[in-house]
Amino acid sequence: MKFLFFKNRKKLREENEKNILDKLDLNNIPKHIAIIMDGNGRWAKEKNLPRTMGHKAGVETIRDIVKACNSLGIKYLTLYAFSTENWKRPKDEVNALMKLLVEYLKNEFEELNSNNVVINSIGNISKLPRICEEELIKAYEKTKNNTGLVLNLALNYGGRDEIIMAFKNMYSDLNEGKIKEEDIKDETLSNYLYTSGMPDPDIIIRPSGEQRISNFLLWQCAYSEFWYSNIKWPDFTRENLYEAIYDYQHRNRRFGGIK
Ligand code: FPP
């Protein structure tokens, strides 16, 4: 009886996914999707589980959403996995997150690589535990020539921190005469960011009911479309991703102009 219930639920979910997927305009798929993976702690609390179990469940969602984005032909997916402010969390939680990251890279490497995914990171990864930094560099070196989805894991990432880093490097290039003050434009600063060479996110998704940017991609989000949902990240499904893309496709993006 229980088996039948789960089977029917799975079937229904797949049908819903297919229905919305069929409605997507495949000629207008966003190039860059960024996600603030929020709600893991509350998801766990609801179930009387430790917070780290919420993060563990969140990794399952990552696995599925990465595959879905790659199949849709999305070029960049940026996931906010650990912010410059997340160091304020209890040590045990920080350690658990770092462990999950290493496990993810080790367990998923073969599949991601065989699916042509580039495993990239944005943020100051030199301040992460050595093993995390090493695994990230190794994963990037082995996948950098792939041509499919670029998976940006935002780790020890903060938008303000990134802008300060960019500003300092630009200032030193100015002093050395590598760039001229009169040549500084939007793109000049963009080129100093971790996301240099990538398009700005078309859409930023934040599940779990919170509606704020939390120091994520501050420069890059100037004209991003925002999509919020009450679903907590561990419960976020492909259907939700397709809903977000569907809504995005029906927005009127004017970039300050008129249409
Ligand atoms: C926010 O939820 C989530 C995080 C700070 C961490 C996200 C990390 C993962 C899903 C896994 C590790 C990453 C990789 C790349 C394997 P929250 O804890 O703030 O939730 P709450 O607001 O409900 O407390």
Side-chain angles (χ1 to χ4, degrees), residues 30-38 65 69 74-81 122 149-152 154 157 195 199-207 213 216-218 220-221 224-228 233 236 241 244-245 248:
K31 285 194 187 72
H32 187 169
I33 295 187
I35 308 182
I36 302 177
M37 306 184 287
D38 199 10
I65 295 302
C69 286
I74 287 157
K75 190 62 199 150
Y76 298 92
L77 172 67
T78 302
L79 299 177
Y80 206 6
I122 60 168
L149 174 80
V150 176
L151 171 62
N152 286 326
Y157 173 87
T195 50
D200 288 339
D202 297 297
I203 170 164
I204 298 186
I205 296 176
R206 182 164 195 162
I213 193 72
F216 189 43
L217 302 174
L218 294 183
Q220 299 88 335
C221 77
S224 303
E225 296 294 325
F226 287 84
W227 195 85
Y228 300 108
W233 178 247
F236 193 90
L241 174 78
I245 298 174
Y248 162 84

Side-chain angles (χ1 to χ4, degrees), residues 42-211:
R42 276 163 288 160
W43 180 92
K45 197 172 171 209
E46 272 170 11
K47 296 176 167 48
N48 285 321
L49 293 169
R51 289 179 57 80
T52 50
M53 292 304 285
H55 297 312
K56 200 161 182 242
V59 176
E60 294 308 314
T61 307
I62 295 180
R63 285 199 175 101
D64 199 38
I65 295 302
V66 169
K67 276 188 216 150
C69 286
N70 200 23
S71 320
L72 270 180
I74 287 157
K75 190 62 199 150
Y76 298 92
L77 172 67
T78 302
L79 299 177
Y80 206 6
F82 194 86
S83 75
T84 43
E85 287 73 36
N86 284 153
W87 297 107
K88 292 180 204 154
R89 294 191 175 208
K91 215 171 168 202
D92 281 356
E93 186 171 338
V94 171
N95 290 342
L97 282 167
M98 298 302 154
K99 200 163 158 237
L100 282 174
L101 169 67
V102 173
E103 276 171 19
Y104 175 78
L105 293 170
K106 287 189 172 163
N107 296 340
E108 294 301 298
F109 177 80
E110 287 305 336
E111 192 176 342
L112 291 171
N113 191 31
S114 63
N115 283 311
N116 215 5
V117 173
V118 179
I119 307 171
N120 188 38
S121 55
I122 60 168
N124 184 355
I125 62 164
S126 71
K127 295 283 188 290
L128 297 178
R130 174 80 61 87
I131 174 82
C132 297
E133 188 191 4
E134 281 171 2
E135 289 296 327
L136 284 164
I137 293 173
K138 201 160 79 185
Y140 176 70
E141 283 304 320
K142 289 188 181 164
T143 59
K144 67 181 178 195
N145 295 323
N146 288 346
T147 53
L149 174 80
V150 176
L151 171 62
N152 286 326
L153 299 172
L155 291 155
N156 192 24
Y157 173 87
R160 288 185 171 182
D161 199 60
E162 180 184 37
I163 293 169
I164 291 171
M165 174 216 48
F167 179 77
K168 283 182 179 166
N169 289 332
M170 197 165 82
Y171 182 74
S172 111
D173 282 354
L174 255 175
N175 279 340
E176 289 171 28
K178 291 186 186 156
I179 53 170
K180 289 198 206 109
E181 190 184 334
E182 56 272 27
D183 293 339
I184 297 176
K185 304 194 248 339
D186 276 19
E187 306 90 88
T188 321
L189 194 106
S190 297
N191 289 340
Y192 286 89
L193 300 174
Y194 295 117
T195 50
S196 168
M198 304 179 195
D200 288 339
D202 297 297
I203 170 164
I204 298 186
I205 296 176
R206 182 164 195 162
S208 96
E210 309 291 354
Q211 300 193 354

